[in-house]
Amino acid sequence: MIPRHAPWEESGEFRIGLRQIPAEAWLEGGEADPAARKDPLLTAHPAAVWAETEGSRPAQAELLDLVSQACGRPIPAEGRPPLLAAARAVADDLCLMERRDGGWRLTALSLCAGSFFTASEVIGRSLAELHGPVTGFRERLLARVTRIFDGLRDDLVLERRNWSVVSAPDLFMPDPAPMRAVITDIDPARAADSLFARVERQTLRRLPATGGVVFTIRVWVDPLSAIAADADRLARFAAAWRTAHPDFRAYKKLELYDDLVARVIDAA
Ligand code: HEM
């Protein structure tokens, strides 16, 4: 399978990287029954995958309407919080941002493919607090991101993507520690099938009536063998790996994979 997204071909550093996409391209779809994946996680790990704050239900309801429109059918809430009902109908994780106490805060989310964080850890946080661990975010990106949220036009849908390398294909990955603890057990000869490019495709969209912003996160995972299958594709990945910014590498702990990735790159 050719990876659907290859953001390493564009950047190996922290950046905003938003581009406008057509409204029809908002949610990528393609998962037959997202609820079948999400419901068991909600039962087993409720605090990791779901959280809401008081007062967020009106914007949640608007979000549910928007997702229903995008899916082309009404999605019944059936007694569930509206954002949760919406999230069960789509592959994406859904985050609701609202202006509160002078800043944009996360007021509700369904997060079944979180990359190393949980709903209970992030609920209620501001953009600055959410990005505390991201080197330079406050200094370089926060003001611009806040302006983008403030000025988001009703008809705009924006997309950005990020990437990392991981050693497990699981979408649900609240804590990377168990995965990282066994990297040294990986057979270098099998590196291309044991390592994965993990891409988050994110979108931003205004909720015109309540003034909230929907932030969606869809995770795509491909084995490095899918990249290595084509020499030019692998060359572009190799270039990204070699030139990724030191802060970006440190944040994503890419050094843990250097020897294994070298096996994939050098085998070409
Ligand atoms: C345009 C808006 C945004 C930009 C430009 C942005 C940018 C970033 C960047 C550069 C990172 C580092 C990882 C990476 O992407 O390579 C990151 C991580 C993260 N972002 Fe955002 N972000 C945005 C919106 C949001 C929103 C709305 C949320 C709310 C859920 C969020 C939650 C997070 C979290 C939880 C992390 C992981 C932080 C950690 O390591 O603990 N981001 N973001």
Side-chain angles (χ1 to χ4, degrees):
M1 284 277 285
I2 301 174
R4 182 181 181 108
H5 297 285
W8 50 85
E9 296 182 1
E10 288 165 18
S11 171
E13 61 185 322
F14 298 135
R15 58 174 203 154
I16 294 184
L18 285 166
R19 66 181 185 112
Q20 185 180 349
I21 57 168
E24 311 79 70
W26 180 34
L27 305 173
E28 293 176 310
E31 184 176 24
D33 188 1
R37 171 172 57 87
K38 295 182 177 187
D39 285 350
L41 291 173
L42 187 63
T43 306
H45 311 279
V49 302
W50 163 251
E52 65 177 329
T53 57
E54 230 179 286
S56 65
R57 289 287 176 99
Q60 287 192 41
E62 190 181 4
L63 194 165
L64 176 59
D65 283 347
L66 197 62
V67 171
S68 299
Q69 277 169 34
C71 293
R73 64 184 170 88
I75 301 166
E78 293 168 335
R80 297 183 176 89
L83 185 144
L84 185 56
R88 293 177 70 254
V90 297
D92 306 67
D93 283 337
L94 301 178
C95 303
L96 174 62
M97 301 293 292
E98 293 182 90
R99 248 204 179 278
R100 294 258 195 282
D101 309 324
W104 286 95
R105 288 188 179 270
L106 187 51
T107 61
L109 76 162
S110 165
L111 183 79
C112 291
S115 298
F116 318 154
F117 65 100
T118 61
S120 62
E121 284 162 3
V122 295
I123 186 70
R125 287 196 179 167
S126 66
L127 279 172
E129 291 162 353
L130 285 163
H131 294 97
V134 182
T135 320
F137 188 93
R138 193 182 277 270
E139 300 77 14
R140 289 197 305 113
L141 304 181
L142 178 61
R144 276 191 287 155
V145 172
T146 304
R147 272 201 300 279
I148 291 166
F149 273 69
D150 283 341
L152 195 58
R153 284 199 339 245
D154 292 355
D155 59 332
L156 276 189
V157 183
L158 302 178
E159 178 193 78
R160 69 182 294 272
R161 297 155 330 161
N162 69 25
W163 65 277
S164 189
V165 166
V166 293
S167 42
D170 313 47
L171 293 182
F172 179 65
M173 184 67 73
D175 176 7
M179 168 184 78
R180 288 173 176 159
V182 294
I183 292 172
T184 47
D185 296 345
I186 294 173
D187 174 1
R190 294 197 28 83
D193 292 313
S194 306
L195 300 188
F196 304 84
R198 184 176 176 107
V199 170
E200 287 185 326
R201 183 255 187 191
Q202 307 167 340
T203 70
L204 276 185
R205 186 166 188 174
R206 161 87 64 216
L207 295 170
T210 54
V213 170
V214 189
F215 182 68
T216 69
I217 309 171
R218 173 82 178 268
V219 171
W220 294 91
V221 178
D222 289 288
L224 293 195
S225 55
I227 297 170
D230 176 87
D232 289 342
R233 202 181 305 144
L234 180 61
R236 292 192 292 272
F237 175 81
W241 188 264
R242 292 187 184 115
T243 59
H245 191 282
D247 290 343
F248 181 95
R249 282 180 51 84
Y251 172 82
K252 297 178 187 232
K253 300 211 179 331
L254 296 187
E255 77 280 0
L256 295 174
Y257 298 108
D258 270 334
D259 292 346
L260 292 166
V261 170
R263 286 290 291 249
V264 180
I265 292 173
D266 296 343

